[in-house]
Amino acid sequence: MTAVKNILFIMCDQLRWDYLSCYGHPSLHTPNIDALAARGVRFTRSYVQSPICGASRMSTYTGRYVQSHGASWNGFPLKAGEMTMGDYLRPLGLRTALVGKTHMEPDAETMQRLGIDPQSIIGVRVSECGFDPYERDDGLWAIGPDGRYDPRLPRYNEYLNQKGYGGDNPWHDYANSGLNDDGSLASGWAMRHAGKPARVEENDSETPYMTRRAMDFISEAGADPWCLHLSFIKPHWPYIAPAPYHDMYGIKDMIPVVRSEDERKDPHPVFREFMQHRVSLTFSRPEVRDEIVPVYMGLIKQIDDQIGELFRFLDRKGLMDKTMIVLTSDHGDYLGDHWMGEKDLFHDASVRVPLIIYDPSREADAARGTVCDELVEAIDLAPTFIDAAGGDAGNESHRLEGRSLLPLLRAAAPEQWRDVSISEYDYSLSQAAQRLGVAPRDAHLFMVADKHWKLMHAPGFRPMLFDLLNDPQELHDLGTDPAFESQCQRLMAALHRWALRPSQRTTISDAALQAGRGKSMRRGILIGVWDESDIPAELWTAYRGERES
Amino acid sequence: MTAVKNILFIMCDQLRWDYLSCYGHPSLHTPNIDALAARGVRFTRSYVQSPICGASRMSTYTGRYVQSHGASWNGFPLKAGEMTMGDYLRPLGLRTALVGKTHMEPDAETMQRLGIDPQSIIGVRVSECGFDPYERDDGLWAIGPDGRYDPRLPRYNEYLNQKGYGGDNPWHDYANSGLNDDGSLASGWAMRHAGKPARVEENDSETPYMTRRAMDFISEAGADPWCLHLSFIKPHWPYIAPAPYHDMYGIKDMIPVVRSEDERKDPHPVFREFMQHRVSLTFSRPEVRDEIVPVYMGLIKQIDDQIGELFRFLDRKGLMDKTMIVLTSDHGDYLGDHWMGEKDLFHDASVRVPLIIYDPSREADAARGTVCDELVEAIDLAPTFIDAAGGDAGNESHRLEGRSLLPLLRAAAPEQWRDVSISEYDYSLSQAAQRLGVAPRDAHLFMVADKHWKLMHAPGFRPMLFDLLNDPQELHDLGTDPAFESQCQRLMAALHRWALRPSQRTTISDAALQAGRGKSMRRGILIGVWDESDIPAELWTAYRGERES
């Protein structure tokens, strides 16, 4: 198979699957992303491994389920030693660079115990989930009474200062704030200000800035092959956009909210508590969606425009036919659907993401512009990149739990694809767990979905079940209906099979195991041998004959 | 609670639970081990986490289930980064030394990737599962046509050479071989030679040698606190003993074999294939037990005698009232029971081990000489040692999956102990898996046992179930009997709960999670806030007022 030279891996943050015109949004036109879909494959059932930034990304980068890598929530360090895309791709000759967000927290305790200097090249890679950070920026430059959320200092703030935006945190004061009528600061952290224009020139806002940084890296890389992870911060909150994107859309452009009063009658206990979170209560007020959703759409439109700039740049550089381009997201955004804000649970608004892959190689021509309905997962990207770059992800099956999508991209669909998708959510830090009295060790949610059904298993509680074919909006929880008990049991059985997998047998390959069967006798370990004549004389060579004494 | 000064952690290799007089063996008298039991607590339901040397030990040393650490068979490297007893005890001020066997294989690939020099102090500890090797000796100095099983060169061979035993592998040629009538070498690898005396003076054989090395370490340590892992190689095969232990016991001293013809009628498919392994077929011949079992008993008797020497040495040093002493094994030995040789499956002969703990502290006085019938596991030792040495294993609950036995040793039994014990076996390298056509990823067996029932789950096959109360010899597999389906389901449900545990969330403690609920707002992340007045003004400090521009 043809190897691609470069990989441009674009991730948006908190971009729902259905807020792109190629995925059916009627009024949010994203022609540049749509053009990518027209040249590649668009996946309609792409699930993230956890509907939360950090855990989702750690799964995407490692190619492993959340239960396997353990970094199950934002700020939970990824264990030193977990291999990531960068670690797999670098030996294949690719520079692996990061521009933007990863939400990676280094495992400082283990690094210290193992004597790994965080400032060394190895230390930086272990700290940055395997990437070489061209510019790391998580876009969360928050400050509260207990200090900074992220102790790093962003280069973006330096940039803004140089451009004349003052203060020690222009990220907040300009890029993510507007102005009140009285001239006072209208912080983007208060959602009622969402519709105000951010106090930066559009060109100085985060999305164009990060796009230019990506171009800088690509220019610097020159002829070297690379994998660039361009990881946009938007349309993640704070919901606020620079002009003209702040009022490009209005209420008339919004798709309807997906929620029903029935959902609030005897809901699943975990769902009930999540509906009580502040963000859910806020998004359940009608005026909130009217304020937020148009701005959310504007932020996406801005990304699409910047992606257009980036594609034209690649064209000018002659890189479009050498570069695999991926566009996806780390999770969705409820935006008030199901009486929820944020992400966290497993409705499609939260766990389902867009995934478009353009493969420049000739083998992919037959599949261009097609749509793939198979169940794909974020962990499939790492093996896809390895195979695309000329490696063999099959040799890494003892570590990688995803599957290479290359056959699907090259119209060579394998006989058997996966039957179910798994996603997880660690709610141990949530108010919901606190109110339900669930201990941190038990506060874990699991989704098991096939093409027809989606089950949520919350240990200690009843199941939640949706019929995706007959109730695509997921408004009717069938988890307590005896008529569907067998579906619950079937999906639970799939979850149990998954849970018993040997996810930590990462130091010996499956191929080595297959080849190693029955080999110990050839190194002199002779078990169960009664008489010398029971086994071939050759196996005794080292013990007999010339060694008589 | 009083901290003990030292910990002497004695492990035998392949010692069945029932081959000690304090555990009821009628003719194998082990007065020194019995005396330890009289001063400590003897556990009757102690299970190893895997009935195979390497996996069992890695669980014992890490305090984690096999599925959690992944080193699921002999020679599968333990991941760099997994913490072990040594890593926990060293910061508490104990020297943590090894004399004897661990079966540890270093994770050389990860060490190289992380830049850890195997020769550095950190590198040696990562390579030796956290111990400082005073003398590492796995007792497997086998050589075959493909080379050495263990590439190290044993100091024990040097010792034997110095004592006048010649050749390049006197471990085999003298310590583990006898002589045929014609003067030729009778290798201990051929079991028919088991009854011949090994060609070494008793004092030069492995057990006394290792005991003396333990004394050397203790003498050198002087006043320093320590945890010494004295890990005997015997009574593990090669089954051969020096005089006088080679013929100290005879057929009349043997306890009866536990097997019935019924077991061979329609056995569980995995059990059937294990019965077809060479070692099982060999041990199923009546003459084999008659030759091997008396020697196996002699090797245990020698260990008991050496333990007596060691205890008298500790007495002379005045260390008996400062030193916690533990005696256990890494797994048992079928010895022909159930038509099996070796270990590998979950009958008591294989998975159940002796466990005796002597705690010198005054709080333990009330429990001296008592017997504890609770379900305990090998992974309980690491937390026990941490607590005994004055640490708090509770702070390590995000890594350690065992429970401290200190309350049981100090007659302060907790209200709730565990309901089930779990053990595992990775049979991916076995002939059984090959013959059954089971792929390496699926070749994993699970035991779930409570005090009444024991279930084996082999994914892809029917369950195996024993009623331990009414069939303590485990001769009647009830796994296909519909009358016991509910028991199978109950134990399977316990296994599934276990399998969904967050075993890899090791970089953040449960206490930190409990304390961290709802803290992100205090670092400026304000989610779901509509209006500034929705949350306390304090949370806005860093964004408002003085920061106006």
Side-chain angles (χ1 to χ4, degrees), chain A residues 302-320:
Chain A
Q302 187 185 22
I303 288 174
D304 187 70
D305 286 342
Q306 288 299 313
I307 284 179
E309 294 289 335
L310 185 57
F311 290 173
R312 284 185 286 278
F313 168 85
L314 291 174
D315 255 339
R316 288 195 301 275
K317 292 266 181 189
L319 293 174
M320 277 306 266

Side-chain angles (χ1 to χ4, degrees), chain B residues 265-335:
Chain B
K265 292 176 192 147
D266 188 30
H268 185 285
V270 174
F271 181 31
R272 183 185 65 226
E273 291 305 331
F274 272 91
M275 285 193 282
Q276 295 306 313
H277 281 180
R278 177 194 305 278
V279 67
S280 298
L281 295 174
T282 303
F283 266 107
S284 298
R285 292 157 59 178
E287 72 271 26
V288 174
R289 267 181 61 86
D290 294 349
E291 190 79 26
I292 299 297
V293 174
V295 175
Y296 180 77
M297 293 167 66
L299 290 167
I300 296 165
K301 181 69 178 171
Q302 187 185 22
I303 288 174
D304 187 70
D305 286 342
Q306 288 299 313
I307 284 179
E309 294 289 334
L310 184 58
F311 289 173
R312 286 185 285 281
F313 168 85
L314 292 174
D315 254 339
R316 288 194 302 276
K317 292 265 182 187
L319 294 174
M320 276 306 265
D321 61 351
K322 299 182 179 67
T323 304
M324 170 175 273
I325 303 176
V326 178
L327 181 121
T328 192
S329 178
D330 62 345
H331 54 75
D333 190 327
Y334 272 108
L335 294 173

Side-chain angles (χ1 to χ4, degrees), chain A residues 329-393:
Chain A
S329 178
D330 61 346
H331 53 76
D333 191 325
Y334 273 107
L335 295 174
D337 283 358
H338 309 289
W339 312 99
M340 293 272 295
E342 279 275 84
K343 42 265 182 178
D344 308 339
L345 296 184
F346 302 117
H347 297 91
D348 271 3
S350 170
V351 75
R352 188 170 162 193
V353 291
L355 176 64
I356 298 165
I357 306 183
Y358 157 69
D359 177 350
S361 65
R362 190 177 303 165
E363 291 95 323
D365 288 348
R368 295 197 194 289
T370 62
V371 170
C372 178
D373 296 324
E374 292 293 352
L375 293 165
V376 301
E377 303 186 341
I379 55 174
D380 296 339
L381 292 179
T384 302
F385 294 175
I386 294 169
D387 281 359
D392 183 351

